[in-house]
Amino acid sequence: MPVKQKTWTLDEVERFTALGAFDRPERYELIDGQLIEKMPVNDPHWFALRFVTRTLLEIFGVRQPMVQQSPLKFGQRDAPEPDLAFLTRDTPRPR
């Protein structure tokens, strides 16, 4: 019999984090109700992110809202933490 995976909500993750249930909560992100372990940032990753960020800022300027490695909360089942995201007027804002 297959093992059923727990589907998490953002409220549950925040509550368990506040209770200290996760040893290092910054290592995880919530994607489609699943807690996904994030990959560690190494030097090549960091340099690539800096290069892409600077290049895109030169192209788009600072008029476009941008977040780096920050959670974006999209309802109760998704709080991804993209390396880089340019936001639009319609992007849900953090609660």
Side-chain angles (χ1 to χ4, degrees):
M1 177 188 296
V3 176
K4 185 174 180 190
Q5 288 187 323
K6 163 89 174 117
T7 299
W8 293 86
T9 66
L10 186 55
D11 287 341
E12 289 173 326
V13 171
E14 290 174 345
R15 187 168 51 247
F16 275 73
T17 299
L19 293 170
F22 303 117
D23 60 340
R24 296 187 55 205
E26 69 278 359
R27 292 181 57 198
Y28 302 94
E29 59 188 328
L30 183 65
I31 306 288
D32 196 27
Q34 301 299 311
L35 282 177
I36 306 296
E37 187 171 5
K38 296 188 298 188
M39 296 177 63
V41 176
N42 56 27
D43 285 347
H45 181 128
W46 184 85
F47 284 109
L49 180 58
R50 291 268 309 171
F51 173 77
V52 169
T53 302
R54 291 180 72 158
T55 302
L56 290 174
L57 283 174
E58 287 176 14
I59 294 169
F60 294 114
V62 293
R63 299 178 311 272
Q64 189 72 22
M66 176 188 74
V67 295
Q68 280 185 294
Q69 299 176 324
S70 298
L72 298 175
K73 298 176 182 178
F74 300 114
Q76 279 296 308
R77 292 175 44 116
D78 291 292
E81 296 189 27
D83 287 338
L84 177 65
F86 282 89
L87 308 179
T88 67
R89 201 174 337 176
D90 301 327
T91 303
R93 299 297 188 242
R95 8 180 216 154

